[in-house]
Coordinates of all heavy atoms in Angstrom, one line a residue:
M41 N 15.1 74.6 -74.5 CA 15.3 73.3 -73.9 C 16.6 73.4 -73.1 O 17.7 73.7 -73.7 CB 15.3 72.2 -74.9 CG 15.6 70.8 -74.3 SD 15.7 69.4 -75.5 CE 14.1 69.4 -76.2
D42 N 16.5 73.1 -71.8 CA 17.8 73.2 -70.9 C 18.5 71.8 -71.1 O 18.1 70.8 -71.7 CB 17.4 73.5 -69.5 CG 16.7 72.4 -68.7 OD1 16.1 71.5 -69.5 OD2 16.7 72.5 -67.6
K43 N 19.6 71.8 -70.4 CA 20.6 70.6 -70.5 C 19.9 69.4 -70.0 O 19.9 68.3 -70.7 CB 21.8 70.8 -69.8 CG 22.7 71.8 -70.4 CD 24.1 72.0 -69.6 CE 24.9 73.0 -70.3 NZ 26.1 73.2 -69.6
L44 N 19.1 69.5 -68.9 CA 18.5 68.3 -68.3 C 17.5 67.7 -69.2 O 17.3 66.5 -69.4 CB 17.9 68.6 -66.9 CG 17.2 67.4 -66.2 CD1 18.2 66.2 -66.0 CD2 16.7 67.8 -64.9
E45 N 16.6 68.6 -69.9 CA 15.5 68.1 -70.7 C 16.2 67.5 -72.0 O 15.7 66.4 -72.5 CB 14.6 69.3 -71.2 CG 13.7 69.8 -70.1 CD 13.0 71.0 -70.5 OE1 13.2 71.5 -71.6 OE2 12.2 71.5 -69.7
Y46 N 17.1 68.0 -72.5 CA 17.9 67.5 -73.7 C 18.4 66.2 -73.3 O 18.3 65.2 -74.1 CB 19.0 68.4 -74.2 CG 19.6 68.0 -75.4 CD1 19.1 68.3 -76.6 CD2 20.9 67.3 -75.3 CE1 19.7 67.9 -77.8 CE2 21.4 66.8 -76.5 CZ 20.8 67.2 -77.7 OH 21.5 66.7 -79.0
L47 N 19.1 66.0 -72.2 CA 19.7 64.9 -71.8 C 18.7 63.7 -71.6 O 18.9 62.5 -72.0 CB 20.5 65.0 -70.4 CG 21.5 64.0 -70.1 CD1 22.6 64.1 -71.2 CD2 22.2 64.4 -68.8
Q48 N 17.5 64.0 -70.9 CA 16.5 63.0 -70.7 C 15.9 62.6 -72.1 O 15.6 61.4 -72.2 CB 15.3 63.7 -69.9 CG 15.7 63.8 -68.5 CD 14.6 64.6 -67.6 OE1 13.9 65.5 -68.2 NE2 14.5 64.3 -66.4
K49 N 15.8 63.5 -73.1 CA 15.2 63.0 -74.3 C 16.3 62.2 -75.2 O 15.9 61.3 -75.8 CB 14.9 64.3 -75.1 CG 14.3 64.0 -76.4 CD 13.8 65.3 -77.1 CE 13.1 64.9 -78.5 NZ 12.8 66.1 -79.2
H50 N 17.6 62.7 -75.2 CA 18.5 62.0 -76.1 C 19.5 61.1 -75.6 O 20.1 60.3 -76.3 CB 19.3 63.1 -76.8 CG 18.4 64.1 -77.6 ND1 18.0 63.7 -78.9 CD2 18.0 65.3 -77.4 CE1 17.3 64.6 -79.4 NE2 17.2 65.6 -78.4
Y51 N 19.8 61.0 -74.2 CA 20.8 60.2 -73.6 C 20.6 58.8 -73.8 O 21.5 58.0 -74.1 CB 20.9 60.5 -72.1 CG 22.0 59.7 -71.4 CD1 23.3 60.1 -71.4 CD2 21.7 58.5 -70.8 CE1 24.2 59.5 -70.8 CE2 22.7 57.7 -70.2 CZ 24.0 58.3 -70.2 OH 25.0 57.6 -69.6
P52 N 19.3 58.2 -73.7 CA 19.1 56.8 -73.9 C 19.6 56.1 -75.3 O 19.9 55.0 -75.3 CB 17.6 56.5 -73.7 CG 17.2 57.7 -72.9 CD 18.1 58.8 -73.3
N53 N 19.6 56.9 -76.3 CA 20.0 56.4 -77.6 C 21.0 57.2 -78.4 O 21.2 57.0 -79.6 CB 18.7 56.4 -78.5 CG 17.7 55.3 -77.9 OD1 18.0 54.2 -77.7 ND2 16.5 55.8 -77.7
T54 N 21.8 58.0 -77.7 CA 22.8 58.8 -78.3 C 24.2 58.6 -77.7 O 24.3 58.5 -76.5 CB 22.4 60.3 -78.3 OG1 21.1 60.4 -78.8 CG2 23.4 61.1 -79.1
N55 N 25.2 58.6 -78.5 CA 26.6 58.4 -78.0 C 27.0 59.7 -77.1 O 26.6 60.9 -77.4 CB 27.6 58.5 -79.2 CG 29.0 58.2 -78.8 OD1 29.5 58.9 -78.0 ND2 29.6 57.2 -79.5
N56 N 27.6 59.4 -76.0 CA 28.0 60.5 -75.0 C 28.9 61.6 -75.6 O 28.8 62.7 -75.3 CB 28.7 59.8 -73.8 CG 27.7 59.1 -72.9 OD1 26.5 59.1 -73.2 ND2 28.2 58.4 -72.0
K57 N 29.7 61.2 -76.6 CA 30.6 62.2 -77.3 C 29.7 63.2 -78.0 O 30.0 64.4 -77.9 CB 31.5 61.5 -78.2 CG 32.6 62.3 -78.8 CD 33.5 61.6 -79.6 CE 34.5 60.7 -78.7 NZ 35.5 60.1 -79.5
I58 N 28.7 62.8 -78.7 CA 27.8 63.7 -79.4 C 27.0 64.5 -78.4 O 26.9 65.8 -78.6 CB 26.8 62.9 -80.3 CG1 27.7 62.1 -81.4 CG2 25.9 63.7 -80.9 CD1 26.9 61.1 -82.2
L59 N 26.6 64.0 -77.4 CA 25.8 64.7 -76.4 C 26.7 65.8 -75.8 O 26.3 67.0 -75.5 CB 25.2 63.8 -75.3 CG 24.2 62.9 -75.6 CD1 23.9 61.9 -74.6 CD2 22.9 63.6 -76.1
A60 N 28.0 65.4 -75.4 CA 28.9 66.3 -74.8 C 29.2 67.5 -75.7 O 29.2 68.7 -75.3 CB 30.2 65.7 -74.4
K61 N 29.4 67.2 -76.9 CA 29.7 68.3 -78.0 C 28.5 69.2 -78.1 O 28.6 70.4 -78.1 CB 30.1 67.7 -79.3 CG 30.5 68.7 -80.3 CD 30.9 68.0 -81.6 CE 31.4 69.1 -82.6 NZ 31.8 68.4 -83.8
H62 N 27.3 68.7 -78.2 CA 26.1 69.6 -78.3 C 25.9 70.4 -77.1 O 25.4 71.5 -77.2 CB 24.8 68.7 -78.6 CG 23.7 69.4 -78.7 ND1 23.3 70.0 -80.0 CD2 22.6 69.7 -77.9 CE1 22.2 70.7 -79.9 NE2 21.7 70.4 -78.6
L63 N 26.1 69.8 -75.9 CA 25.8 70.5 -74.7 C 27.0 71.4 -74.3 O 26.8 72.2 -73.4 CB 25.5 69.6 -73.5 CG 24.2 68.7 -73.7 CD1 24.1 67.6 -72.7 CD2 23.0 69.6 -73.7
G64 N 28.1 71.3 -74.9 CA 29.3 72.0 -74.5 C 29.9 71.6 -73.1 O 30.4 72.5 -72.4
I65 N 29.8 70.4 -72.8 CA 30.3 69.9 -71.6 C 31.1 68.7 -71.9 O 31.1 68.1 -72.9 CB 29.3 69.6 -70.5 CG1 28.2 68.6 -71.0 CG2 28.6 70.9 -70.1 CD1 27.2 68.2 -70.0
S66 N 31.9 68.1 -70.9 CA 32.7 66.9 -71.1 C 31.9 65.7 -71.0 O 30.8 65.7 -70.5 CB 33.8 66.9 -70.0 OG 33.2 66.6 -68.7
E67 N 32.5 64.7 -71.6 CA 31.7 63.3 -71.5 C 31.5 62.9 -70.1 O 30.5 62.3 -69.8 CB 32.5 62.3 -72.3 CG 32.5 62.4 -73.8 CD 33.2 61.3 -74.5 OE1 32.8 60.1 -74.4 OE2 34.1 61.6 -75.2
Q68 N 32.5 63.1 -69.3 CA 32.3 62.7 -67.9 C 31.2 63.5 -67.2 O 30.4 62.9 -66.4 CB 33.6 63.1 -67.1 CG 33.6 62.7 -65.7 CD 34.9 62.9 -64.9 OE1 35.9 63.4 -65.6 NE2 35.0 62.7 -63.7
S69 N 31.0 64.8 -67.6 CA 29.9 65.6 -67.0 C 28.5 65.0 -67.5 O 27.6 65.1 -66.8 CB 30.1 67.0 -67.5 OG 31.1 67.6 -66.8
V70 N 28.5 64.6 -68.8 CA 27.2 64.0 -69.3 C 26.9 62.7 -68.5 O 25.7 62.5 -68.0 CB 27.5 63.6 -70.8 CG1 26.3 62.7 -71.3 CG2 27.6 64.9 -71.6
R71 N 27.9 62.0 -68.2 CA 27.7 60.7 -67.5 C 27.3 61.0 -66.0 O 26.4 60.4 -65.5 CB 28.9 59.8 -67.4 CG 29.2 59.1 -68.8 CD 30.2 57.9 -68.6 NE 31.5 58.6 -68.2 CZ 32.5 59.0 -69.0 NH1 32.3 59.1 -70.3 NH2 33.6 59.5 -68.6
R72 N 27.9 62.0 -65.4 CA 27.6 62.4 -64.1 C 26.1 62.9 -64.0 O 25.4 62.6 -63.1 CB 28.6 63.5 -63.6 CG 28.5 63.8 -62.1 CD 29.5 64.9 -61.7 NE 30.8 64.5 -62.1 CZ 31.6 65.4 -62.8 NH1 31.0 66.5 -63.3 NH2 32.8 65.0 -63.2
L73 N 25.7 63.8 -64.9 CA 24.4 64.3 -64.9 C 23.3 63.2 -65.1 O 22.3 63.1 -64.4 CB 24.2 65.3 -66.0 CG 24.6 66.8 -65.7 CD1 24.5 67.6 -67.0 CD2 23.7 67.3 -64.6
A74 N 23.6 62.2 -66.0 CA 22.7 61.1 -66.3 C 22.6 60.3 -65.0 O 21.5 59.9 -64.6 CB 23.2 60.3 -67.4
S75 N 23.7 60.0 -64.4 CA 23.7 59.3 -63.2 C 22.9 59.9 -62.0 O 22.1 59.3 -61.4 CB 25.1 58.9 -62.7 OG 25.1 58.2 -61.5
K76 N 23.2 61.2 -61.9 CA 22.5 62.1 -60.8 C 20.9 62.0 -61.0 O 20.2 61.8 -60.0 CB 22.9 63.4 -61.0 CG 22.4 64.4 -59.8 CD 22.9 65.8 -59.9 CE 22.4 66.6 -58.9 NZ 23.0 68.1 -59.0
Y77 N 20.4 62.0 -62.2 CA 19.1 62.0 -62.4 C 18.5 60.7 -62.8 O 17.4 60.6 -63.4 CB 18.7 63.1 -63.5 CG 18.9 64.5 -62.9 CD1 20.1 65.2 -63.3 CD2 18.1 65.1 -62.0 CE1 20.4 66.5 -62.8 CE2 18.4 66.3 -61.4 CZ 19.5 67.0 -61.8 OH 19.7 68.2 -61.3
N78 N 19.3 59.6 -62.7 CA 18.9 58.2 -62.9 C 18.4 58.1 -64.4 O 17.3 57.4 -64.6 CB 17.8 57.8 -61.9 CG 17.8 56.3 -61.9 OD1 18.7 55.6 -62.1 ND2 16.6 55.7 -61.5
I79 N 19.1 58.6 -65.3 CA 18.9 58.5 -66.7 C 19.8 57.4 -67.2 O 21.0 57.4 -67.0 CB 19.1 59.8 -67.5 CG1 18.3 60.9 -66.9 CG2 18.7 59.6 -68.9 CD1 18.6 62.3 -67.4
R80 N 19.2 56.4 -68.0 CA 20.0 55.1 -68.4 C 20.0 55.1 -69.9 O 19.0 55.6 -70.6 CB 19.4 53.9 -67.8 CG 19.4 53.9 -66.3 CD 20.7 53.5 -65.7 NE 20.7 53.5 -64.2 CZ 21.5 54.2 -63.5 NH1 22.3 55.0 -63.9 NH2 21.4 54.1 -62.2
K81 N 21.0 54.4 -70.4 CA 21.0 54.1 -71.9 C 19.9 53.0 -72.1 O 19.6 52.1 -71.2 CB 22.3 53.5 -72.3 CG 23.4 54.6 -72.2 CD 23.3 55.5 -73.3 CE 24.5 56.5 -73.3 NZ 24.3 57.6 -74.3
S82 N 19.3 53.0 -73.2 CA 18.2 52.0 -73.6 C 18.9 50.6 -73.8 O 20.0 50.5 -74.1 CB 17.4 52.4 -74.8 OG 18.2 52.4 -76.0
K83 N 18.0 49.6 -73.6 CA 18.6 48.2 -73.9 C 19.0 48.1 -75.3 O 20.0 47.3 -75.6 CB 17.5 47.2 -73.4 CG 17.4 47.1 -72.0 CD 16.4 46.0 -71.6 CE 16.3 46.0 -70.1 NZ 15.6 44.8 -69.6
E84 N 18.2 48.6 -76.2 CA 18.5 48.5 -77.7 C 19.9 49.2 -78.0 O 20.7 48.6 -78.7 CB 17.5 49.2 -78.5 CG 16.1 48.5 -78.4 CD 15.3 48.9 -77.1 OE1 15.7 50.0 -76.6 OE2 14.4 48.2 -76.7
Y85 N 20.1 50.4 -77.4 CA 21.4 51.1 -77.7 C 22.6 50.2 -77.1 O 23.6 50.1 -77.8 CB 21.3 52.4 -77.0 CG 22.6 53.2 -77.1 CD1 22.9 54.0 -78.3 CD2 23.6 53.3 -76.2 CE1 24.0 54.7 -78.4 CE2 24.8 54.0 -76.3 CZ 25.0 54.6 -77.4 OH 26.2 55.4 -77.7
M86 N 22.4 49.7 -75.9 CA 23.5 48.9 -75.3 C 23.7 47.7 -76.1 O 24.9 47.2 -76.2 CB 23.2 48.6 -73.8 CG 23.0 49.8 -73.0 SD 24.5 50.8 -72.9 CE 25.6 49.6 -72.0
K87 N 22.7 47.0 -76.6 CA 22.8 45.8 -77.4 C 23.6 46.2 -78.7 O 24.5 45.4 -79.1 CB 21.5 45.2 -77.8 CG 21.6 43.9 -78.6 CD 20.2 43.4 -78.9 CE 20.5 42.1 -79.7 NZ 19.1 41.6 -80.1
K88 N 23.3 47.3 -79.3 CA 24.0 47.7 -80.6 C 25.5 48.0 -80.2 O 26.4 47.6 -81.0 CB 23.3 49.0 -81.1 CG 23.9 49.4 -82.4 CD 23.1 50.6 -83.0 CE 23.8 51.9 -82.5 NZ 23.4 53.1 -83.1
Q89 N 25.8 48.7 -79.1 CA 27.2 48.9 -78.8 C 27.9 47.7 -78.4 O 29.1 47.5 -78.8 CB 27.2 49.9 -77.5 CG 26.6 51.3 -77.8 CD 27.4 52.0 -78.9 OE1 28.6 52.0 -78.8 NE2 26.7 52.5 -79.8
Y90 N 27.4 46.7 -77.8 CA 27.9 45.4 -77.6 C 28.3 44.7 -78.8 O 29.3 44.1 -79.0 CB 27.0 44.6 -76.7 CG 27.6 43.2 -76.4 CD1 28.6 43.1 -75.4 CD2 27.1 42.0 -76.9 CE1 29.1 41.9 -75.1 CE2 27.5 40.8 -76.6 CZ 28.6 40.8 -75.7 OH 29.1 39.5 -75.4
E91 N 27.3 44.7 -79.8 CA 27.6 44.1 -81.1 C 28.8 44.7 -81.8 O 29.6 44.1 -82.4 CB 26.3 44.0 -82.0 CG 25.3 43.1 -81.4 CD 23.9 43.3 -82.1 OE1 23.7 44.2 -82.9 OE2 23.0 42.5 -81.7
L92 N 28.8 46.1 -81.8 CA 29.9 46.8 -82.5 C 31.3 46.5 -81.8 O 32.2 46.3 -82.5 CB 29.6 48.4 -82.3 CG 28.5 48.9 -83.2 CD1 28.3 50.3 -82.9 CD2 28.8 48.7 -84.7
L93 N 31.2 46.3 -80.4 CA 32.4 45.9 -79.7 C 32.9 44.6 -80.2 O 34.1 44.4 -80.4 CB 32.2 46.0 -78.2 CG 33.3 45.5 -77.3 CD1 34.5 46.4 -77.5 CD2 32.9 45.5 -75.9
L94 N 31.9 43.6 -80.2 CA 32.3 42.2 -80.6 C 32.9 42.2 -82.1 O 33.9 41.5 -82.4 CB 31.2 41.3 -80.6 CG 30.7 40.9 -79.2 CD1 29.5 39.9 -79.3 CD2 31.8 40.2 -78.5
K95 N 32.3 43.0 -83.0 CA 32.8 43.1 -84.3 C 34.2 43.7 -84.4 O 35.1 43.2 -85.2 CB 31.9 43.9 -85.2 CG 30.6 43.1 -85.6 CD 29.8 44.0 -86.5 CE 28.4 43.3 -86.8 NZ 27.5 44.2 -87.6
A96 N 34.5 44.7 -83.5 CA 35.8 45.3 -83.5 C 36.8 44.3 -82.9 O 38.0 44.3 -83.5 CB 35.8 46.6 -82.7
K97 N 36.5 43.6 -81.9 CA 37.4 42.7 -81.3 C 37.7 41.6 -82.3 O 38.8 41.1 -82.4 CB 36.8 42.0 -80.0 CG 36.8 43.0 -78.9 CD 36.1 42.5 -77.7 CE 36.9 41.4 -76.9 NZ 36.3 40.9 -75.7
E98 N 36.7 41.1 -83.1 CA 36.9 40.1 -84.0 C 37.8 40.6 -85.1 O 38.7 39.9 -85.6 CB 35.6 39.6 -84.6 CG 35.7 38.6 -85.7 CD 34.3 38.1 -86.4 OE1 33.4 38.9 -86.3 OE2 34.4 37.0 -87.0
A99 N 37.6 41.7 -85.6 CA 38.4 42.3 -86.7 C 39.9 42.5 -86.2 O 40.8 42.1 -87.0 CB 37.9 43.6 -87.1
K100 N 40.0 42.9 -85.0 CA 41.4 43.0 -84.5 C 42.1 41.7 -84.3 O 43.2 41.5 -84.7 CB 41.4 43.7 -83.1 CG 42.7 43.9 -82.5 CD 42.7 44.8 -81.3 CE 44.1 45.0 -80.8 NZ 44.2 45.8 -79.7
Y101 N 41.4 40.7 -83.9 CA 41.9 39.3 -83.7 C 42.2 38.8 -85.1 O 43.4 38.3 -85.3 CB 40.8 38.4 -83.1 CG 41.2 37.0 -83.1 CD1 42.2 36.5 -82.3 CD2 40.6 36.1 -84.0 CE1 42.7 35.1 -82.4 CE2 41.0 34.8 -84.1 CZ 42.1 34.3 -83.2 OH 42.4 33.0 -83.3
L102 N 41.3 38.9 -86.1 CA 41.6 38.4 -87.4 C 42.8 39.1 -88.1 O 43.5 38.4 -88.8 CB 40.3 38.5 -88.3 CG 39.3 37.6 -87.9 CD1 38.0 37.9 -88.7 CD2 39.6 36.1 -87.9
S103 N 43.0 40.3 -87.7 CA 44.1 41.0 -88.3 C 45.5 40.5 -87.9 O 46.6 40.8 -88.4 CB 43.9 42.5 -88.1 OG 44.3 42.9 -86.8
T104 N 45.5 39.9 -86.7 CA 46.8 39.4 -86.1 C 47.2 38.0 -86.6 O 48.2 37.6 -86.4 CB 46.6 39.3 -84.6 OG1 45.7 38.3 -84.2 CG2 46.4 40.6 -84.0
I105 N 46.3 37.3 -87.4 CA 46.5 36.0 -87.9 C 47.3 36.2 -89.1 O 46.8 36.7 -90.1 CB 45.2 35.2 -88.1 CG1 44.5 35.0 -86.8 CG2 45.5 33.9 -88.7 CD1 43.1 34.3 -86.9
P106 N 48.5 35.6 -89.2 CA 49.3 35.6 -90.5 C 48.7 34.8 -91.6 O 48.0 33.8 -91.4 CB 50.6 35.2 -90.1 CG 50.4 34.2 -88.9 CD 49.2 34.8 -88.2
D107 N 48.8 35.3 -92.8 CA 48.4 34.6 -94.0 C 49.4 33.5 -94.4 O 50.4 33.9 -95.0 CB 48.1 35.6 -95.2 CG 47.4 35.0 -96.3 OD1 46.7 33.9 -96.1 OD2 47.5 35.5 -97.4
L108 N 49.2 32.3 -94.0 CA 50.2 31.2 -94.3 C 49.8 30.4 -95.5 O 48.7 30.2 -95.9 CB 50.1 30.3 -93.1 CG 50.4 30.9 -91.7 CD1 50.3 29.8 -90.6 CD2 51.9 31.4 -91.8
H109 N 50.9 30.1 -96.2 CA 50.8 29.2 -97.4 C 51.8 28.1 -97.3 O 52.9 28.2 -98.0 CB 51.0 30.1 -98.7 CG 50.0 31.2 -98.9 ND1 48.7 31.0 -99.2 CD2 50.1 32.5 -98.6 CE1 48.0 32.1 -99.2 NE2 48.9 33.1 -98.8
P110 N 51.5 27.0 -96.7 CA 52.4 25.9 -96.5 C 52.7 25.1 -97.8 O 51.7 25.1 -98.6 CB 51.9 25.1 -95.4 CG 50.4 25.4 -95.4 CD 50.2 26.7 -95.8
T111 N 53.9 24.7 -97.9 CA 54.2 23.9 -99.1 C 53.6 22.4 -98.9 O 53.1 22.2 -97.8 CB 55.7 23.7 -99.3 OG1 56.2 23.0 -98.1 CG2 56.4 25.0 -99.4
N112 N 53.5 21.7 -100.0 CA 53.0 20.3 -99.8 C 53.8 19.5 -98.8 O 53.3 18.7 -98.1 CB 53.0 19.6 -101.2 CG 51.8 20.1 -102.0 OD1 50.8 20.5 -101.6 ND2 52.0 19.9 -103.3
Y113 N 55.1 19.7 -98.7 CA 56.0 19.0 -97.8 C 55.6 19.4 -96.4 O 55.4 18.5 -95.5 CB 57.4 19.3 -98.1 CG 58.3 18.6 -97.1 CD1 58.6 17.2 -97.3 CD2 59.0 19.2 -96.1 CE1 59.4 16.5 -96.5 CE2 59.9 18.6 -95.2 CZ 60.1 17.2 -95.5 OH 60.9 16.5 -94.5
Q114 N 55.3 20.7 -96.2 CA 54.9 21.1 -94.8 C 53.5 20.6 -94.4 O 53.3 20.3 -93.3 CB 55.0 22.6 -94.8 CG 56.3 23.2 -94.8 CD 56.3 24.7 -95.1 OE1 55.5 25.2 -95.7 NE2 57.4 25.4 -94.5
L115 N 52.6 20.5 -95.4 CA 51.3 20.0 -95.1 C 51.4 18.5 -94.8 O 50.7 18.0 -93.9 CB 50.4 20.2 -96.4 CG 49.9 21.6 -96.6 CD1 49.2 21.6 -98.0 CD2 48.9 22.0 -95.5
N116 N 52.2 17.8 -95.5 CA 52.4 16.4 -95.2 C 52.9 16.2 -93.7 O 52.5 15.3 -93.1 CB 53.3 15.7 -96.1 CG 52.7 15.5 -97.5 OD1 51.4 15.4 -97.5 ND2 53.5 15.4 -98.5
I117 N 53.9 17.0 -93.3 CA 54.4 16.9 -91.9 C 53.3 17.2 -91.0 O 53.1 16.5 -89.9 CB 55.5 17.9 -91.8 CG1 56.7 17.4 -92.6 CG2 56.0 18.0 -90.3 CD1 57.9 18.5 -92.6
I118 N 52.5 18.2 -91.2 CA 51.3 18.6 -90.4 C 50.3 17.4 -90.3 O 49.9 17.0 -89.1 CB 50.6 19.9 -90.8 CG1 51.6 21.1 -90.7 CG2 49.4 20.2 -90.0 CD1 51.2 22.3 -91.3
I119 N 49.9 16.9 -91.3 CA 48.9 15.9 -91.4 C 49.5 14.6 -90.8 O 48.8 13.9 -89.9 CB 48.5 15.6 -92.8 CG1 47.6 16.8 -93.3 CG2 47.6 14.3 -92.8 CD1 47.2 16.8 -94.7
G120 N 50.8 14.3 -91.0 CA 51.5 13.1 -90.4 C 51.5 13.3 -88.9 O 51.3 12.3 -88.1
S121 N 51.7 14.5 -88.4 CA 51.8 14.6 -87.0 C 50.4 14.6 -86.3 O 50.3 14.2 -85.2 CB 52.4 16.0 -86.6 OG 51.7 17.1 -87.1
I122 N 49.5 15.0 -87.1 CA 48.1 15.0 -86.5 C 47.6 13.5 -86.4 O 47.0 13.0 -85.4 CB 47.0 15.8 -87.3 CG1 47.4 17.3 -87.2 CG2 45.6 15.5 -87.0 CD1 46.6 18.2 -88.1
L123 N 47.8 12.7 -87.5 CA 47.5 11.3 -87.5 C 48.4 10.4 -86.6 O 48.0 9.3 -86.2 CB 47.6 10.8 -89.0 CG 46.7 11.4 -90.0 CD1 46.9 10.9 -91.4 CD2 45.2 11.1 -89.7
G124 N 49.5 10.9 -86.4 CA 50.5 10.2 -85.5 C 51.1 9.0 -86.1 O 51.6 8.1 -85.5
D125 N 51.1 9.0 -87.5 CA 51.7 7.8 -88.1 C 53.2 7.9 -88.4 O 53.8 7.1 -88.9 CB 50.9 7.4 -89.3 CG 50.9 8.5 -90.4 OD1 51.6 9.5 -90.3 OD2 50.3 8.2 -91.5
G126 N 53.6 9.1 -88.2 CA 55.1 9.4 -88.5 C 55.5 9.4 -90.0 O 56.5 9.5 -90.3
N127 N 54.4 9.4 -90.8 CA 54.7 9.4 -92.3 C 54.9 10.8 -92.8 O 54.1 11.7 -92.5 CB 53.5 8.8 -92.9 CG 53.8 8.5 -94.5 OD1 54.8 8.9 -95.0 ND2 52.8 7.8 -95.1
L128 N 55.9 11.1 -93.5 CA 56.2 12.3 -94.1 C 55.9 12.4 -95.6 O 56.2 13.4 -96.3 CB 57.6 12.8 -93.8 CG 58.0 12.9 -92.4 CD1 59.5 13.3 -92.3 CD2 57.2 13.9 -91.6
S129 N 55.4 11.4 -96.1 CA 55.1 11.4 -97.6 C 53.7 11.6 -97.9 O 52.7 11.5 -97.2 CB 55.6 10.1 -98.2 OG 54.9 9.0 -97.7

């Protein structure tokens, strides 16, 4: 099986890094060959990659949120400022 046949069979559902390693070429060359012969990733593969990206973005965002433990006094200040009553008790 030559490179083109392998690419046509596996490109739609396989990571480019894996294809590049198997074919012994760069990822850029894999993309260039696929583009040249109008080979596209499948919709299912693209949807899966999109979901993985969203999960990674969410995990990164959540990791930046500090773990806060306000005291009762601080909670009263927050609630008083939200209610707008000026009460700190």
Side-chain angles (χ1 to χ4, degrees):
M41 179 182 291
D42 70 342
K43 288 181 182 182
L44 181 57
E45 290 174 357
Y46 184 84
L47 203 60
Q48 287 173 330
K49 182 176 180 182
H50 297 284
Y51 185 82
N53 295 306
T54 307
N55 187 306
N56 289 350
K57 188 178 286 190
I58 295 170
L59 293 170
K61 185 176 181 180
H62 181 79
L63 295 172
I65 58 178
S66 69
E67 289 183 58
Q68 183 177 358
S69 295
V70 169
R71 288 190 301 272
R72 191 179 309 118
L73 275 172
S75 177
K76 181 177 180 180
Y77 293 102
N78 202 26
I79 305 170
R80 303 278 184 238
K81 294 288 187 187
S82 69
K83 290 185 180 191
E84 296 82 20
Y85 179 83
M86 294 304 291
K87 182 178 178 183
K88 184 176 96 175
Q89 293 301 309
Y90 180 73
E91 289 169 357
L92 289 172
L93 175 66
L94 287 181
K95 285 180 184 178
K97 287 175 77 173
E98 179 184 20
K100 184 174 181 177
Y101 170 75
L102 291 176
S103 72
T104 64
I105 298 174
D107 191 20
L108 301 175
H109 301 287
T111 65
N112 281 336
Y113 182 73
Q114 291 168 329
L115 285 173
N116 286 335
I117 292 173
I118 293 168
I119 292 172
S121 66
I122 291 172
L123 296 175
D125 64 1
N127 188 357
L128 297 179
S129 58

